[in-house]
Amino acid sequence: MALSVCLFTNFDMVLRDVYPLTPWKGERLRVKPPKEVAAGLRGVTESFKIGLAESGLIGTIRTMRTVNDFSGFDCPGCAWPDPDGHRSGFEFCENGAKAFATEATKKRVTRSFFEKNSVEDLSRKSDIWLDKQGRLTEPMILREGEIHYQPISWADAFREINSQIESAEPHECALYTSGRASNEAAFLWASLARRIGTNNLPDCSNMCHESSGYGLSRAIGIGKGTVRLSCFEKADLVIVMGQNPGTNHPRMLSALVECKRNGGSVVSINPLEETGMKRFKHPQELIRLLGKGTQIADDHFSVNIGGDAALLKGVCKRLIETDSIDSEYIDRETVGYESFRDSLVDVDWSEIEVQSGISRTEIEGLADSIAKARNMIVCWAMGVTQHKNSVAVVQEIVNLLLLGGHFGRPGAGACPVRGHSNVQGDRTVGINHHVSQEYVERLHCATGIDSPIQPGLDSVETVKAMCNGDIKMFMALGGNFLSAMSDTHKVAEGLARCDLTVQISTKLNRSHLVTGKSALILPCLGRTEIDVQKAGAQFVSVENSMGVVHSSRGVLRPASKSLRSEVSIICGIAQEAFPEDKLGWGNLVEDYSRIRSLIEQVIPGFEDYEERVIKKEGFYLPNSVRDATSWDTASGKAEFNVHQLPDLNSSKGNFTMMTVRSHDQYNTTIYGMDDRYRGIYGARRIVMMNSADMKDMSLKEGSMVTIVSHWDDGIREAVDWKVVAIEIPRGNVSTYFPEANSLIPLGSTADGSNTPTSKSVRVSIVKQDRIITEV
Ligand SMILES: Nc1nc2c(c(=O)[nH]1)N[C@H]1C(S)=C(S)[C@@H](COP(=O)(O)OP(=O)(O)OC[C@H]3O[C@@H](n4cnc5c(=O)[nH]c(N)nc54)[C@H](O)[C@@H]3O)O[C@H]1N2
Ligand SMILES: Nc1nc2c(c(=O)[nH]1)N[C@H]1C(S)=C(S)[C@@H](COP(=O)(O)OP(=O)(O)OC[C@H]3O[C@@H](n4cnc5c(=O)[nH]c(N)nc54)[C@H](O)[C@@H]3O)O[C@H]1N2
Ligand SMILES: [Mo]
């Protein structure tokens, strides 16, 4: 089926009189040369600028001083850890500063705002505009047939939810989680789903690092990274693959600088040479801000989108051919080496070169550097996890690390760099559409809840079920499901088929505008804010990318008196629905240590949670590979996995498109229109192309094109994209997320992990003087 799309209008599709996409009229594209140096003084001034505009001078200084300080809150920007053992104040970066400044904004969305603006009015506004209206202040309801949200009391909101829980079957409910939720909130949310009787727990991880967890757990027995932050000082070589740390994990650049200062090398593998990987000036080291900055990447490989599997195979082939492997380690710790070695013999160098876009000589050069490294770390993020063969690529990374025995010793290992600041913790404490028998039993013992054992729905499956009319109630603990998911129009169609959609949120976003028959907005405290309950001011806990659990305590006055904490909202919903539970949902909210006590009983590794989490440095969760080199796999050893190279020629379209973040956004929250590091200003509906490809198609910078994606069920097309020339291998293009999400077919997902293929979509780019209707 082809989607009905009205071409050359400002909106792609009208649905229930609501526009699911962000409108894009009025963008003014300007292009400058990309930046050579990341952070530096400009980074510092940018952090203050956004803070001043949103939260004023006092607020800015207060929040910046307390972010990641032991007595303050965990930076909501990303999951990169603080320096081991010494959480110090002021470990901030430009983008972390933006994340908390927009939360600490002085602007408010009140009931009169909703009186003035109908849902349709709001749908015509841009994502930036929606976010800039400020913090949500009181619970609101959009009743069936109404066009305005109206105020509702907390008690009535909980009653509305309860009547849905009562009328729907358990499997008709889905509870989404975005990765900012604390351990305490996430544990309760997962428990509530299971109390309702479902494992339908789609979460942002399904769109993010699911491929890492899936691939790693089957290969090495743990779905998390195996390094500590201190490993970066000891590594001889750090490979950064499919990641843009300068924008998305700026504090990681300090770790890369440490590696370099100690004589190590850094290699970048990416279709784009991102600014953060060129030079970096540490914003905390004022004296260095004036210098030239530290060069980060010693070598850069402009791989084709989706070409990493081929590149890694080439590297492993060379390492084996030159006998640059740790045979003793391989014999002792692994299984499957022989099949892996034999499979590489059949892989043709010409195929490796074509798929990766890197010459044999260069690949062999990289392999020779790897051979020399005693300790190697491979870091990766979305450039690895969001392809059809992502699980295979993660396992090729493991194969490479295993060849040199790079597990279980300081300075070496696998480092999937997580996104949302507590996405890893949420998984640890039970946000998962799969459950183990052990979890079910422990949950029952601690809480009396009888969890179903059969798997629930992930994010993609939830949208499919919604579109089939199989989900009646969708509740979201944070996030922006509509805009974050692939195939925006399908998600909109699915949400609209629900009876009730509920969003627990801090700020307004497009998921509040495309709703079920009725909808609730439940406004919550953000991480920066003081959370007072019966037993006094509460803290919550979070887990960073390296498995350290620590506390986070808000310092700012709440944006409104009517806000409730996430924990309080979940307990409110559960108490209304299940007042008879011996667990006493209503009591848990009084003192969060009661929730931590439950987590301790249910989740292994949280022994003495309360005592350990209040320590300044927090505590490391056990990690079988890092701590003991023990392999919790089917074979009891680390496993080499053999994967065929993907068939990249089978699909239609003349380009492979990836969707990336600009320097001025946090996922679906758009702070501004500029992507400073890449030199793109004033516009987001742009497509970055190789200048030779542009020339072939007679396109100039700023030319308008239509993008068409191809899938079994038909095409998706989106109009009015402006072309920008960038250094990217030919045949590859890049657009921004979330604008391009309407082009990613719902069915296009990674094998095994079911993650939308946000980084590889086959598309045709069509100069905009032709109308495409069907291909
Ligand atoms: N400021 C800021 N910080 C953030 C976020 C944010 O939006 N803004 N989001 C947070 C979240 S949830 C996450 S998951 C992380 C995301 O962090 P990243 O993964 O760094 O985010 P992306 O912008 O998706 O960048 C992916 C990178 O992979 C490259 N890439 C794409 N395809 C391929 C490929 O096939 N091979 C290789 N080798 N590279 C490829 C792209 O060129 C790009 O540099 O950041 C977190 N931190
Ligand atoms: N095409 C494409 N799509 C992608 C990606 C991509 O690279 N390309 N990346 C994917 C990835 S990695 C991720 S993680 C997902 C992100 O998906 P989500 O996590 O669903 O999206 P966010 O944009 O992070 O959510 C922002 C909203 O969260 C709410 N919020 C912020 N802070 C809090 C809080 O403390 N509590 C609560 N309750 N709400 C809060 C605000 O209302 C805000 O509008 O998107 C995915 N989608
Ligand atoms: Mo993410």
Side-chain angles (χ1 to χ4, degrees):
M1 171 207 75
L3 282 174
S4 63
V5 181
C6 19
L7 268 173
F8 305 110
T9 62
N10 198 15
F11 305 105
D12 273 7
M13 186 168 80
V14 181
L15 197 119
R16 281 184 77 235
D17 295 320
V18 184
Y19 306 107
L21 296 180
T22 190
W24 61 87
K25 274 261 161 72
E27 290 192 351
R28 286 193 203 299
L29 171 67
R30 281 169 297 123
V31 182
K32 294 186 195 168
K35 290 272 178 283
E36 290 298 314
V37 186
L41 267 179
R42 181 76 193 272
V44 177
T45 52
E46 285 293 319
S47 343
F48 275 93
K49 214 161 72 188
I50 184 133
L52 289 177
E54 294 286 347
S55 52
L57 182 63
I58 305 291
T60 307
I61 293 173
R62 263 192 94 186
T63 40
M64 284 200 177
R65 279 190 53 129
T66 42
V67 67
N68 287 0
D69 186 2
F70 170 59
S71 58
F73 56 89
D74 179 61
C75 178
C78 74
W80 189 255
D82 310 308
D84 273 355
H86 46 92
R87 284 179 70 196
S88 59
F90 236 52
E91 248 280 306
F92 70 89
C93 69
E94 179 187 339
N95 284 319
K98 286 178 186 168
F100 60 73
T102 52
E103 184 173 298
T105 176
K106 289 206 263 178
K107 298 178 200 125
R108 299 289 178 264
V109 172
T110 59
R111 58 174 70 185
S112 66
F113 170 88
F114 286 110
E115 237 171 70
K116 244 187 273 151
N117 297 287
S118 72
V119 170
E120 193 184 323
D121 295 335
L122 295 174
S123 305
R124 293 174 191 278
K125 305 290 190 188
S126 68
D127 290 341
I128 301 191
W129 188 92
L130 292 177
D131 189 70
K132 289 242 187 296
Q133 301 316 300
R135 289 288 298 279
L136 295 159
T137 49
E138 61 178 318
M140 303 297 296
I141 184 162
L142 181 66
R143 295 187 193 279
E144 191 167 356
E146 296 284 338
I147 57 167
H148 287 266
Y149 273 98
Q150 290 159 1
I152 183 172
S153 70
W154 281 105
D156 286 343
F158 296 149
R159 275 193 278 276
E160 291 283 336
I161 296 172
N162 184 40
S163 64
Q164 261 310 311
I165 295 177
E166 281 179 347
S167 65
E169 295 291 328
H171 62 263
E172 292 173 327
C173 302
L175 282 75
Y176 175 70
T177 314
S178 168
R180 252 187 216 179
S182 62
N183 281 357
E184 290 77 358
F187 174 79
L188 290 178
W189 193 238
S191 303
L192 172 62
R194 277 136 196 164
R195 177 62 181 88
I196 291 172
T198 180
N199 284 317
N200 290 346
L201 282 161
D203 76 322
C204 71
S205 201
N206 300 143
M207 313 168 207
C208 185
H209 264 293
E210 189 80 49
S211 307
S212 305
Y214 190 96
L216 287 173
S217 53
R218 281 156 185 80
I220 59 169
I222 185 164
K224 300 183 181 182
T226 67
V227 297
R228 295 172 195 258
L229 185 56
S230 55
C231 289
F232 284 79
E233 294 163 18
K234 303 183 182 98
D236 304 311
L237 178 62
V238 177
I239 295 183
V240 180
M241 195 167 193
Q243 195 197 346
N244 178 15
T247 287
N248 298 312
H249 305 91
R251 289 181 299 127
M252 175 175 166
L253 297 183
S254 320
L256 297 179
V257 167
E258 278 311 306
C259 164
K260 302 224 26 165
R261 282 186 191 154
N262 291 327
S265 309
V266 176
V267 165
S268 136
I269 300 175
N270 197 314
L272 302 177
E273 192 173 0
E274 304 282 22
T275 296
M277 297 308 292
K278 296 178 190 166
R279 300 191 89 79
F280 171 58
K281 292 189 201 174
H282 200 310
Q284 269 81 29
E285 295 179 10
L286 287 173
I287 197 74
R288 290 207 163 92
L289 286 178
L290 304 169
K292 268 172 60 194
T294 311
Q295 184 198 338
I296 300 285
D298 300 272
D299 230 331
H300 170 76
F301 296 86
S302 282
V303 71
N304 277 325
I305 296 173
D308 304 87
L311 174 66
L312 287 162
K313 278 196 191 295
V315 168
C316 291
K317 204 173 155 77
R318 168 77 172 183
L319 287 171
I320 293 172
E321 277 166 11
T322 54
D323 198 21
S324 309
I325 57 172
D326 187 342
S327 302
E328 196 254 323
Y329 180 92
I330 293 171
D331 287 347
R332 191 179 70 235
E333 303 289 346
T334 75
V335 294
Y337 170 69
E338 286 77 16
S339 331
F340 176 65
R341 181 196 58 203
D342 297 347
S343 74
L344 289 178
V345 176
D346 301 331
V347 184
D348 208 59
W349 271 108
S350 60
E351 183 68 7
I352 291 175
E353 287 185 313
V354 169
Q355 285 212 7
S356 66
I358 313 286
S359 72
R360 178 174 179 171
T361 322
E362 283 179 282
I363 295 175
E364 289 185 339
L366 173 60
D368 295 346
S369 312
I370 291 173
K372 283 189 215 123
R374 227 191 66 73
N375 294 319
M376 174 172 72
I377 298 174
V378 183
C379 301
W380 71 89
M382 297 304 101
V384 163
T385 63
Q386 299 176 331
H387 303 274
K388 183 163 191 311
N389 68 333
S390 283
V391 170
V393 178
V394 168
Q395 295 190 338
E396 296 289 6
I397 293 174
V398 172
N399 291 339
L400 170 64
L401 288 165
L402 287 176
L403 285 182
H406 294 291
F407 283 110
R409 61 168 189 249
C415 182
V417 183
R418 305 280 161 176
H420 262 304
S421 49
N422 196 38
V423 64
Q424 186 158 315
D426 292 348
R427 264 296 156 91
T428 304
V429 300
I431 301 294
N432 198 330
H433 52 288
H434 292 279
V435 278
S436 66
Q437 186 60 40
E438 187 196 354
Y439 171 89
V440 170
E441 283 163 18
R442 292 175 76 129
L443 185 71
H444 178 80
C445 273
T447 65
I449 293 171
D450 285 316
S451 169
I453 186 84
Q454 58 275 32
L457 304 173
D458 65 13
S459 292
V460 167
E461 290 161 347
T462 296
V463 176
K464 287 183 180 167
M466 279 175 172
C467 290
N468 290 336
D470 294 335
I471 298 290
K472 300 262 185 303
M473 180 172 73
F474 175 81
M475 297 201 284
L477 179 59
N480 181 359
F481 191 66
L482 172 83
S483 304
M485 260 297 290
S486 49
D487 227 342
T488 317
H489 297 304
K490 284 264 179 214
V491 187
E493 186 188 323
L495 286 167
R497 290 201 67 176
C498 295
D499 289 336
L500 176 68
T501 48
V502 180
Q503 302 285 337
I504 301 173
S505 316
T506 50
K507 304 284 287 285
L508 196 58
N509 66 45
R510 215 153 284 280
S511 290
H512 303 120
L513 309 178
V514 179
T515 65
K517 294 191 184 76
S518 54
L520 285 164
I521 298 177
L522 304 181
C524 64
L525 293 175
R527 205 179 273 176
T528 51
E529 289 163 319
I530 301 166
D531 179 0
V532 179
Q533 304 295 343
K534 212 166 182 180
Q538 302 295 309
F539 67 86
V540 291
S541 45
V542 291
E543 175 185 340
N544 67 32
S545 210
M546 283 162 203
V548 178
V549 180
H550 61 81
S551 60
S552 172
R553 191 186 285 273
V555 295
L556 299 180
R557 226 183 21 218
S560 146
K561 285 202 179 94
S562 312
L563 297 185
R564 290 203 178 188
S565 71
E566 292 177 336
V567 164
S568 159
I569 295 170
I570 301 165
C571 289
I573 297 171
Q575 179 64 30
E576 179 68 30
F578 308 110
E580 72 285 1
D581 282 6
K582 81 168 185 352
L583 180 61
W585 293 94
N587 300 333
L588 292 175
V589 64
E590 294 174 0
D591 180 348
Y592 294 0
S593 68
R594 294 176 191 162
I595 307 165
R596 286 187 286 275
S597 157
L598 293 174
I599 296 176
E600 180 173 338
Q601 292 169 60
V602 179
I603 313 292
F606 282 87
E607 295 74 24
D608 304 322
Y609 194 175
E610 198 64 19
E611 288 101 278
R612 291 195 293 160
V613 82
I614 55 174
K615 288 199 189 124
K616 190 170 178 175
E617 66 279 13
F619 63 94
Y620 274 94
L621 284 173
N623 184 307
S624 46
V625 174
R626 188 191 61 210
D627 305 338
T629 327
S630 77
W631 314 100
D632 191 11
T633 56
S635 61
K637 296 222 168 176
E639 300 189 359
F640 278 95
N641 282 278
V642 176
H643 297 281
Q644 302 307 311
L645 280 179
D647 180 6
L648 296 181
N649 301 323
S650 63
S651 32
K652 290 181 185 168
N654 47 358
F655 289 93
T656 305
M657 178 182 79
M658 62 181 182
T659 58
V660 298
R661 290 152 173 81
S662 85
H663 194 62
D664 229 358
Q665 72 182 87
Y666 192 88
N667 295 340
T668 67
T669 302
I670 312 301
Y671 304 131
M673 299 301 284
D674 301 338
D675 195 359
R676 208 171 78 233
Y677 287 177
R678 298 194 185 107
I680 300 166
Y681 295 80
R684 291 184 49 90
R685 204 170 171 84
I686 58 131
V687 45
M688 298 166 237
M689 287 180 82
N690 181 296
S691 51
D693 286 336
M694 284 168 58
K695 204 165 158 215
D696 280 0
M697 294 178 63
S698 311
L699 294 169
K700 297 201 178 70
E701 207 135 74
S703 295
M704 290 288 232
V705 294
T706 293
I707 310 179
V708 182
S709 68
H710 306 272
W711 196 245
D712 308 344
D713 61 356
I715 58 160
R716 275 117 184 113
E717 47 185 62
V719 298
D720 288 356
W721 299 80
K722 290 171 237 43
V723 175
V724 172
I726 199 163
E727 298 237 346
I728 188 170
R730 292 196 69 170
N732 298 270
V733 295
S734 181
T735 49
Y736 291 126
F737 139 65
E739 284 79 355
N741 263 344
S742 65
L743 287 160
I744 305 173
L746 190 63
S748 179
T749 60
D751 297 332
S753 64
N754 212 24
T755 297
T757 59
S758 308
K759 296 286 187 278
S760 46
V761 187
R762 276 310 276 184
V763 295
S764 303
I765 307 262
V766 187
K767 203 173 169 192
Q768 207 153 293
D769 47 26
R770 218 172 102 207
I771 295 180
I772 300 254
T773 47
E774 182 67 65
V775 173

